Amino acid sequence: MKRSRRARREELTGWLMASPWIIGFLFLTLGAMTFSLGMSFTDYDFFNKPSFVGLQHYKQMLFEDELVWHSIGITTLYALFSVPLTLVLGLLLAMILNQKLKGIALFRTVYYFPSVLPEIATIFLWILVFDPSFGLFNSVLKWFSITGPNWLGSMEWALPSFVIMSLWGVGGGMLIYLAGLQGIPTELYEAATVDGSNRFTTFMRITLPMLSPVIFFNLVMGIIGALQVFNQAYIMTNGGPARSTYFFMLHIFYTSFQEYRMAYASALSWLLFLYIGLLTFIVFRFGEKKVFYS
Amino acid sequence: MSAYAHRKTSSVRRSQKIMNSFLYVLLTAGGLVILVPFIWMLSTSLKIPSQVFAWPIEWIPKPVKFSNYVEALSMRPFILYYGNTFFITGLAVLGQVFSSSIVGYSLARLRWRGNNLVFALIMSTLMLPEIVRMIPTFVIFSKIGWVDTFLPLILPHFFAGAFNVFLFRQFFHSLPKDLDEAATVDGASLFGIYWRIILPLSKPVIGIVAINTFRYSWNDFLHPLIYLNDTKLWTITLGLRAFQQEFNIDWNLLMAASATSMLPILILFVIAQKYFIQGIVFTGVKG
């Protein structure tokens, strides 16, 4: 009798203590998403009463609005370069910084230092770095008598500039891989040495499989992050020149918070959600067999 | 040990030494490349305008104009922006730490029906792009008159972020169960156990969640951008953006203002480096 009263109290307290998240979820996630989905079937524009328009926005989004595919293309292209590059570079750095060298802690700090800095301030720093006439890059290139490109102001170089900038934050990924490397039991390496494996085989047979869950998780998070790039694009180029850095998030932002076409923007945001889901699903399908869970 | 084996180890040692010096050179070169933009920013922030545009680059400001910082901060009401940002960030940190830890405690240490379902739901929201929720909540918050208030920037943090709940739950799981039982015998309530026993043991996770939330709020640009029109309510990030648009040729001053906005994060980094690192690592490894 006493026990069951305690169990009942625990049941009630459990719900009560979880309620901050549950309430937030009901209103700010589930409620908001339902509202967003419902809104996307109307012509709601924030100021006037909405009326039902069915699938019109989805039709417009997929077949009429050229900026949708353009911006998804730009965003995908960016992710295609930025995500694998940061992944490989981060892994490589982590392997080097995992060596037992004197002063290695200092080097680690130096390499992840940029990922600690606040993003908006670093964006201004990079605008100056990319400045065509007195920026860091072109000043250095001028030493070698090379006239550097117009970086953020050129259609060919604006998107690559974003990729270069994203590489500056490679230290964050490096830290994660480093922690993963240090979690691999040393006995495995000892066994490999006894078996006479060389460095490459050891890397392929031990390091990579043991690290694969971490790599996989980073890949997924990297894709999700890259598809939602906004701040850099909004502040550095505003999508230009000639929309060459017009990321998908910019398109959603302008549609919703500048033009107040809330209903259409909601439909666009669902497209982003589905696209992220689709890419994650593909990565999971192909990754599943390759990932080794000990 | 045979002579052969001995010779072999010493040659291995020599090649190791060469390898190590090679690594040092590589790491130093790479480290310089990483640090140069930041050093350049600091140097620019202390220069006079004519030196900013000089070629070849003059690394050492001559004269060193510390007054750039004073001038930059007075060109816009940055002191006010600092105050606003600290206010928002402080409450956001408070909200996340308390709400996420209490939810994490319930999930990790209390038995109730639906516990696993709620946890699964929490994990499923991790992949959700923020913009899907942002548009409808903006509409609602606008209609109830929350534009030009700090509420949309603060209040959501009191409803426990999914990832923070996850961190707290994992940590609370690792604490021994005897703690609760001993306290129950002593007549402590479940909330009392959370408040007086579990929370004081959780400084590492509190540190991580607090720092991650601090960084998030301090850096937040998109939310202030859509919710704060009144310049008196602006945050640092909005102030910097306006500064750049208004005085976009005063690079030395813009760099000074940017560097100042980095300062609180850098101070935090110096005093709590461990939590910074763990915060970054946890976001990856625990997948």
Side-chain angles (χ1 to χ4, degrees), chain A residues 19-29 32, chain B residues 88-89 91-100 103 130 133-134 136-138 140-141 144 146 149-165 213 216-217 220 223-224 226-227:
Chain A
S19 63
W21 185 82
I22 296 171
I23 293 168
F25 174 74
L26 288 179
F27 288 97
L28 298 173
T29 304
Chain B
I88 295 167
T89 304
L91 285 176
V93 168
L94 218 66
Q96 278 295 347
V97 167
F98 284 113
S99 63
S100 303
V103 175
E130 177 65 11
R133 292 190 293 186
M134 244 174 112
T137 41
F138 174 78
I140 295 163
F141 288 166
I144 57 177
W146 283 9
T149 70
F150 292 148
L151 285 170
L153 308 177
I154 294 170
L155 205 73
H157 290 287
F158 282 81
F159 295 99
F163 191 72
N164 295 333
V165 172
T213 311
Y216 174 86
S217 268
D220 195 7
H223 290 90
I226 62 174
Y227 284 113

Side-chain angles (χ1 to χ4, degrees), chain B residues 14 33 69 91 119 132 208 225 227 270:
Chain B
R14 198 170 331 121
V33 170
Y69 281 79
L91 285 176
F119 183 60
V132 175
I208 291 169
L225 182 67
Y227 284 113
V270 170

